[in-house]
Amino acid sequence: QVQLVESGGGLVQAGGSLRLSCAASGRANSRYAMGWFRQAPGKEREFVAAIGWSATNTYYAESVKGRFTVSRDNAKNTMYLEMNNLKPEDTAVYYCGTDRTPFSTAQAVARLGSFNFWGQGTQVTISS
């Protein structure tokens, strides 16, 4: 069984930055795509960013492109989300997920329902 634990959320002002981490345990995750989704109050969970089993393969939602960067460190079994120029509309609970099928691309997992394993989420709040 795969466990995912997010960390790094918090409260920052608009224009600020945060770095989220997602630590995986239970298996070596290097062959599996990972990604971030978020859910704001009263809204559906939406895709944010994903990274394929190859760390050079990434994919972003249009709303975060150019501001967020997803990366992974397979030696640490951890994925990161660097978030810059944060906006109030980025406020949400951020969840990381990973796939059951190896060697998926970031594009292939950029839709809700792709991931079999999820973390508990970390709150990100951006004040205006």
Side-chain angles (χ1 to χ4, degrees), residues 14 38 40 43 46 63 67-68 86-92 94 124 126-127:
R38 66 187 181 187
K43 295 187 177 181
E46 65 174 3
S63 59
R67 300 188 297 124
F68 291 12
L86 284 161
K87 304 176 181 180
E89 51 264 42
D90 293 319
T91 295
Y94 283 69
V124 171
I126 312 304
S127 63

Side-chain angles (χ1 to χ4, degrees), residues 38-103:
R38 66 187 181 187
Q39 188 165 18
K43 295 187 177 181
E44 293 187 350
R45 192 173 296 194
E46 65 174 3
F47 169 74
V48 176
I51 186 164
W53 71 276
S54 170
T56 59
N57 171 227
T58 58
Y59 188 67
Y60 298 92
E62 285 298 322
S63 59
V64 306
K65 197 173 293 185
R67 300 188 297 124
F68 291 12
T69 302
V70 62
S71 62
R72 65 191 301 163
D73 183 339
N74 289 331
K76 297 182 178 180
N77 226 23
T78 299
M79 174 182 62
Y80 304 98
L81 185 67
E82 186 75 34
M83 306 187 293
N84 298 313
N85 191 22
L86 284 161
K87 304 176 181 180
E89 51 264 42
D90 293 319
T91 295
V93 177
Y94 283 69
Y95 298 90
C96 70
T98 191
D99 204 356
R100 189 190 304 274
T101 304
F103 307 120

Side-chain angles (χ1 to χ4, degrees), residues 1-10 20-25 34-39 45 79 92-98 115-124:
Q1 187 74 4
V2 179
Q3 292 83 41
L4 301 174
V5 178
E6 303 98 333
S7 61
L20 305 184
S21 298
C22 173
S25 62
M34 301 182 73
W36 294 93
F37 283 70
R38 66 187 181 187
Q39 188 165 18
R45 192 173 296 194
M79 174 182 62
V93 177
Y94 283 69
Y95 298 90
C96 70
T98 191
F115 290 142
N116 305 101
F117 306 103
W118 291 95
Q120 82 290 347
T122 185
Q123 177 70 48
V124 171

Side-chain angles (χ1 to χ4, degrees), residues 33 47 50 52 57 59 99 103-115:
F47 169 74
N57 171 227
Y59 188 67
D99 204 356
F103 307 120
S104 294
T105 65
Q107 290 81 357
V109 299
R111 62 188 186 279
L112 199 61
S114 296
F115 290 142

